Amino acid sequence: MAIFHRERLQTPVTAPSRHTVLLVDDEADNLKVLCAILGARYRVLQACDGQEALELVQAMDHVEDLALVISDQRMPRMTGVELCEQLCEISPDTLRIIVTGYMDVDAIVDSVNRARIYQFVIKPFDRHDFELTVQRAIEAHDMKRRLDAHVLELEAKVQLRTLELSQRNEALQLVCAQLEACSLTDPLTGLHNRRYLQGVIEKDIALACRSGESGEANGDLVFFLVDCDHFKQVNDSHGHDVGDRLLCAIAEVLRQVFRSSDYLVRWGGEEFLVVARFLPRGRAAELAERLRLTMAQLELPLKDGSRLFRTCSIGYAALPFLPQAPQAAGWEQVVKLADCAMYGAKHSGRNTWIGLKAGVTAGPQADALPAVQQAADIPALLSKGLLGVEAALAADQLRWA
């Protein structure tokens, strides 16, 4: 069947493009005419039936360069729709035009669904309309390729930006973690600071108090306050840089004596607070003595070749302070008692330790322990039996003011 009206067979002279078009028809005359018309503008391949066309496409090195397939519908061995259906798998981006002399709407709809046909052309057809159809198909193919390339470019940019954002987020998280660590750490000694202790102590208190109420042997929280003796003399005689070195050396002593799970806190100036976590309170005196001895053995070398020695005064108290009433005294009150015990150690000659505990008459009421503001308040509470004391010195050697 003729595919063009005979009066429209003039061949335009145009520069060939880079697009490849595959023509498939079992009638040689039709191929010759189509090739003559389209060959001036496109790189044209020819096949005499669907099977040959399929083999030709499968043998192509760059099947993505195949922009368009124009196939007759009725051919031996394979119909045009069957060919296009297989090309959907081999070259999905190639557009497909079916040329047919028969008009069947149901068959067309089914073919479009199965073989994703770009357009049906009914023979005979106007050459100008046909060329326009081919041109529009080529333009659609180009647009899709540009869109696909643009999508790939955008996806690559998104991946790159996502990676950059992830890296920046990781860096920001690291900086935030470093800032958080700095906000919880004493910059000189590397020990924790008060803010850190306030953030973690409540959980330990809850566990220690539950242990006291249930009788479980998880241990207590023992608060040790440690003060370097005559520290001011170091700054006055040797300078603040030596004083800073001494504070760092004391921090190392604390790390040596206490466990890594204990809280070591730069409390202020030359004072340090240690929370020995879940330690039986009966071992507090042993630990205090070990700390005193280790500190007394500390030698800090100076630039002139001499060595600096310093001792420390230690006070401690345990929480729950009243085992029979774990909620009767808060941790700040226990720290205050440890602070008073430490000042008692200083008044008693320094280089010693004192621990305070509940006395024999201390009851479970929250007001059983009056507020203690200074070490001078301790003797009255001791005489009433509200407080008890354990110390490295004999009772008659203790001084509270």
Side-chain angles (χ1 to χ4, degrees), residues 64 100 145 163 297 362:
E64 67 275 5
T100 180
R145 292 192 70 173
L163 177 60
Q297 296 168 359

Side-chain angles (χ1 to χ4, degrees), residues 58 62 89 101-102 117 123-124 145 163 189 226 245 251 260 267 280 285 296 302 314 341-342 353 362 368 381:
Q58 290 173 330
H62 300 284
E89 303 296 328
Y102 303 92
I117 305 301
K123 296 187 289 187
R145 292 192 70 173
L163 177 60
T189 63
V226 184
R245 288 177 53 210
S260 59
W267 199 239
L302 302 179
I314 307 165
M342 181 197 70
W353 52 264
L381 298 175

Side-chain angles (χ1 to χ4, degrees), residues 191-376:
L191 300 181
H192 297 306
N193 58 20
R194 292 194 185 206
R195 183 170 178 266
Y196 173 85
L197 184 65
Q198 291 168 345
V200 299
I201 195 63
E202 294 298 338
K203 292 181 180 179
D204 284 357
I205 291 172
L207 183 56
C209 289
R210 282 199 302 270
S211 299
E213 292 169 350
S214 62
E216 298 176 1
N218 286 339
D220 307 297
L221 302 179
V222 183
F223 292 79
F224 293 86
L225 263 171
V226 184
D227 186 89
C228 180
D229 295 329
H230 302 298
F231 181 79
K232 186 176 183 299
Q233 294 179 0
V234 176
N235 283 335
D236 293 342
S237 302
H238 303 283
H240 288 276
D241 56 334
V242 174
D244 289 346
R245 288 177 53 210
L246 178 58
L247 292 175
C248 292
I250 296 173
E252 289 303 316
V253 169
L254 297 179
R255 293 188 181 98
Q256 177 183 345
V257 173
F258 293 94
R259 302 165 299 181
S260 59
S261 59
D262 296 331
Y263 301 139
L264 309 180
V265 181
R266 172 88 180 277
W267 199 239
E270 68 272 20
E271 287 188 4
F272 298 84
L273 176 68
V274 177
V275 183
R277 303 173 65 223
F278 311 112
L279 177 78
R281 65 184 64 204
R283 292 190 54 201
E286 169 193 343
L287 199 55
E289 177 62 16
R290 187 191 310 168
L291 174 59
R292 185 196 69 81
L293 285 173
T294 306
M295 183 64 190
Q297 296 168 359
L298 174 65
E299 299 181 9
L300 186 68
L302 302 179
K303 292 182 179 180
D304 60 4
S306 62
R307 294 182 178 276
L308 180 66
F309 297 89
R310 276 296 177 272
T311 59
C312 67
S313 298
I314 307 165
Y316 65 84
L319 187 147
F321 192 76
L322 298 171
Q324 69 275 26
Q327 306 296 336
W331 73 274
E332 295 92 344
Q333 188 175 2
V334 173
V335 171
K336 186 63 180 179
L337 288 168
D339 185 61
C340 291
M342 181 197 70
Y343 276 97
K346 284 190 170 296
H347 291 308
S348 300
R350 297 182 173 83
N351 189 26
T352 191
W353 52 264
I354 295 176
L356 291 176
K357 58 184 179 179
V360 293
T361 63
Q365 295 78 18
D367 59 352
L369 288 176
V372 179
Q373 298 300 325
Q374 54 187 351

Side-chain angles (χ1 to χ4, degrees), residues 5-312:
H5 298 294
R6 294 185 180 275
E7 66 273 11
R8 290 291 192 92
L9 284 179
Q10 295 83 2
T11 303
V13 179
T14 57
S17 74
R18 57 184 171 80
H19 303 92
T20 300
V21 177
L22 173 60
L23 304 176
V24 188
D25 199 312
D26 60 326
E27 294 186 19
D29 289 342
N30 288 343
L31 280 179
K32 183 177 180 180
V33 172
L34 290 175
C35 185
I37 299 304
L38 300 179
R41 299 186 60 182
Y42 310 106
R43 178 174 177 263
V44 174
L45 304 177
Q46 302 178 52
C48 64
D49 60 32
Q51 186 61 43
E52 182 180 341
L54 189 63
E55 293 172 357
L56 188 153
V57 173
Q58 290 173 330
M60 292 180 67
D61 293 331
H62 300 284
V63 71
E64 67 275 5
D65 292 337
L66 182 60
L68 179 64
V69 172
I70 302 173
S71 175
D72 188 34
Q73 168 59 7
R74 292 198 172 188
M75 298 180 296
R77 296 202 294 177
M78 184 182 298
T79 68
V81 169
E82 291 171 342
L83 167 64
C84 291
E85 191 173 3
Q86 295 195 46
L87 288 177
C88 288
E89 303 296 328
I90 301 174
S91 181
D93 292 337
T94 300
L95 295 184
R96 293 164 287 278
I97 293 177
I98 292 293
V99 179
T100 180
Y102 303 92
M103 185 67 177
D104 185 341
V105 175
D106 293 336
I108 289 175
V109 171
D110 181 62
S111 299
V112 169
N113 292 335
R114 289 191 299 113
R116 300 200 294 274
I117 305 301
Y118 173 75
Q119 193 162 341
F120 277 85
V121 175
I122 306 301
K123 296 187 289 187
F125 47 80
D126 181 84
R127 171 180 169 173
H128 175 75
D129 291 341
F130 176 75
E131 288 183 316
L132 189 60
T133 298
V134 172
Q135 181 180 337
R136 294 291 181 264
I138 295 295
E139 291 172 352
H141 177 266
D142 285 350
M143 181 175 293
K144 185 177 185 305
R145 292 192 70 173
R146 287 196 298 270
L147 287 175
D148 289 345
H150 187 58
V151 168
L152 290 176
E153 181 182 356
L154 289 178
E155 289 177 348
K157 288 182 178 180
V158 168
Q159 291 179 354
L160 178 60
R161 296 296 183 268
T162 301
L163 177 60
E164 292 175 350
L165 182 60
S166 176
Q167 292 173 340
R168 291 180 182 180
N169 187 49
E170 290 178 2
L172 181 59
Q173 289 179 346
L174 178 60
V175 171
C176 289
Q178 292 172 341
L179 290 175
E180 178 68 12
C182 289
S183 71
L184 302 175
T185 304
D186 173 55
L188 176 63
T189 63
L191 300 181
H192 297 306
N193 58 20
R194 292 194 185 206
R195 183 170 178 266
Y196 173 85
L197 184 65
Q198 291 168 345
V200 299
I201 195 63
E202 294 298 338
K203 292 181 180 179
D204 284 357
I205 291 172
L207 183 56
C209 289
R210 282 199 302 270
S211 299
E213 292 169 350
S214 62
E216 298 176 1
N218 286 339
D220 307 297
L221 302 179
V222 183
F223 292 79
F224 293 86
L225 263 171
V226 184
D227 186 89
C228 180
D229 295 329
H230 302 298
F231 181 79
K232 186 176 183 299
Q233 294 179 0
V234 176
N235 283 335
D236 293 342
S237 302
H238 303 283
H240 288 276
D241 56 334
V242 174
D244 289 346
R245 288 177 53 210
L246 178 58
L247 292 175
C248 292
I250 296 173
E252 289 303 316
V253 169
L254 297 179
R255 293 188 181 98
Q256 177 183 345
V257 173
F258 293 94
R259 302 165 299 181
S260 59
S261 59
D262 296 331
Y263 301 139
L264 309 180
V265 181
R266 172 88 180 277
W267 199 239
E270 68 272 20
E271 287 188 4
F272 298 84
L273 176 68
V274 177
V275 183
R277 303 173 65 223
F278 311 112
L279 177 78
R281 65 184 64 204
R283 292 190 54 201
E286 169 193 343
L287 199 55
E289 177 62 16
R290 187 191 310 168
L291 174 59
R292 185 196 69 81
L293 285 173
T294 306
M295 183 64 190
Q297 296 168 359
L298 174 65
E299 299 181 9
L300 186 68
L302 302 179
K303 292 182 179 180
D304 60 4
S306 62
R307 294 182 178 276
L308 180 66
F309 297 89
R310 276 296 177 272
T311 59
C312 67

